[in-house]
Amino acid sequence: MNKSQLVDRIAQQIEGGRSNATKAVDAVFDAIQEAVAGGEKVTITGFGVFERVERAARTGRNPATGEPVHVAASVVPKFRPGSEFKSSVSASGD
């Protein structure tokens, strides 16, 4: 499912049609991105947790040559699914 398909599915469930659904989806994504970029943890009970994780600098290996390569420190977003989300996904796989 892509963003357009998500908007269509939400538009079927709320009043105001596709334009209001697009605004709602954009508002949720913007709020999550701004909070995580600012170092906040976003917890949506039953769904999961979005957070910012700092990765330390390290030495990696070039897979073609095997030579050591310096990998710089970085900051990345991380998502951990909640228990209800995990249960829903594992139940649908049966």
Side-chain angles (χ1 to χ4, degrees), residues 60-70:
R61 294 255 175 227
N62 179 333
T65 64
E67 291 190 30
V69 177
H70 176 72

Side-chain angles (χ1 to χ4, degrees), residues 59-79:
T59 301
R61 294 255 175 227
N62 179 333
T65 64
E67 291 190 30
V69 177
H70 176 72
V71 179
S74 62
V75 178
V76 296
K78 179 180 177 183
F79 174 74

Side-chain angles (χ1 to χ4, degrees), residues 21 27 41 50 70 87 92:
K41 183 187 296 188
F50 298 89
H70 176 72
S87 296
S92 67

Side-chain angles (χ1 to χ4, degrees), residues 5-89:
Q5 293 166 331
L6 177 63
V7 168
D8 289 339
R9 185 167 298 178
I10 291 171
Q12 294 171 359
Q13 297 178 16
I14 66 171
E15 293 182 23
R18 195 170 201 290
S19 66
N20 278 353
T22 300
K23 289 177 188 176
V25 169
D26 287 342
V28 169
F29 289 167
D30 289 346
I32 292 171
Q33 287 175 354
E34 288 174 13
V36 172
E40 294 179 59
K41 183 187 296 188
V42 178
T43 303
I44 302 171
T45 304
F47 183 73
V49 178
F50 298 89
E51 60 189 328
R52 175 180 159 147
V53 176
E54 295 183 15
R55 292 188 176 165
R58 58 183 168 61
T59 301
R61 294 255 175 227
N62 179 333
T65 64
E67 291 190 30
V69 177
H70 176 72
V71 179
S74 62
V75 178
V76 296
K78 179 180 177 183
F79 174 74
R80 287 183 292 129
S83 59
E84 289 178 35
F85 186 42
K86 287 184 200 177
S87 296
S88 175
V89 171

